[in-house]
Amino acid sequence: MIELFPNLKSIVTAVFCCITILHINPAKAEVVPSDMSDAMLLTALAEAEVGSAVQYTRELESRWNKSGSATMDLLLRRGEDAWKRRDITQALQHFTALTDHAPDFAWAWSERARLYFVSGRFGQAAVDLEHALALNPNDYRSVFALGRLMEAIGRPERAYAAYTLVRSIHPHHEEVTKSLERLERFGQGQAL
């Protein structure tokens, strides 16, 4: 019998080795030292290559989504679980309880703003984003959400300014480049 793929073993082995190498060493991702302050992480994020930016992003968001209270973290998880099930009413109840009981927890305000936004409640979303950004002005997620909100209400110049701010904090943010390109004609000399 004639073998159809005489080098199949060699090809499979080579492909497996390439895949393994790529997964073990994706852009030489760094381990972020736990003693880095948020300010140091933000500086590193702004200066990072793509592979390292992922690590800094994960570390910052991991810190930002912890309230410091097990009870409040449980409310956060319940809100997130309800959101994943697309039960917006239940998610809003959990996030509202969270903002009531932990008013200094910026992540909660940001998450509730996101839910208000998808519900078309733009005024409430704007108020919550204002709270979130007053507590954590470096939260590029909230600044990006503000840009989306500005687009939704027909303020492309302000959206562009928000996206520009996101890019200065997190140059490798997945959506910011596309958003800036889409709104480039509105970006001439506008301040946020």
Side-chain angles (χ1 to χ4, degrees), residues 98-156:
L98 189 54
T99 57
D100 288 346
H101 296 292
D104 294 334
F105 185 30
W107 193 272
W109 293 99
S110 179
E111 290 298 287
R112 191 172 75 170
R114 180 173 64 129
L115 291 171
Y116 281 143
F117 179 82
V118 299
S119 301
R121 296 156 76 177
F122 299 148
Q124 290 168 303
V127 168
D128 279 6
L129 286 172
E130 183 179 9
H131 280 285
L133 290 168
L135 294 166
N136 184 359
N138 295 307
D139 181 0
Y140 46 82
R141 295 170 52 257
S142 293
V143 179
F144 187 78
L146 181 61
R148 291 283 184 182
L149 178 63
M150 291 295 111
E151 275 192 84
I153 64 171
R155 302 295 307 267

Side-chain angles (χ1 to χ4, degrees), residues 6-117:
N7 297 328
L8 186 59
K9 274 187 173 178
S10 306
I11 293 169
V12 169
T13 302
V15 168
F16 179 77
C17 288
C18 289
I19 291 171
T20 302
I21 290 168
L22 290 173
H23 279 80
I24 291 173
N25 191 10
K28 296 185 179 181
E30 298 178 25
V31 174
V32 178
S34 60
D35 62 344
M36 287 182 78
S37 68
D38 285 6
M40 291 168 67
L41 284 168
L42 286 161
T43 299
L45 177 62
E47 299 170 355
E49 297 294 322
V50 175
S52 300
V54 170
Q55 300 301 322
Y56 297 125
T57 299
R58 284 186 188 142
E59 181 62 26
L60 282 165
E61 291 180 13
S62 173
R63 291 179 185 192
W64 291 344
N65 77 6
K66 288 182 178 61
S67 69
S69 162
T71 304
M72 297 304 108
D73 289 345
L74 177 62
L75 275 175
L76 176 64
R77 280 193 309 277
R78 286 184 175 170
E80 290 169 342
D81 290 344
W83 168 244
K84 287 176 189 168
R85 293 189 316 271
R86 297 293 188 218
D87 186 347
I88 292 175
T89 302
Q90 188 71 40
L92 280 172
Q93 289 173 354
H94 289 300
F95 288 126
T96 297
L98 189 54
T99 57
D100 288 346
H101 296 292
D104 294 334
F105 185 30
W107 193 272
W109 293 99
S110 179
E111 290 298 287
R112 191 172 75 170
R114 180 173 64 129
L115 291 171
Y116 281 143
F117 179 82

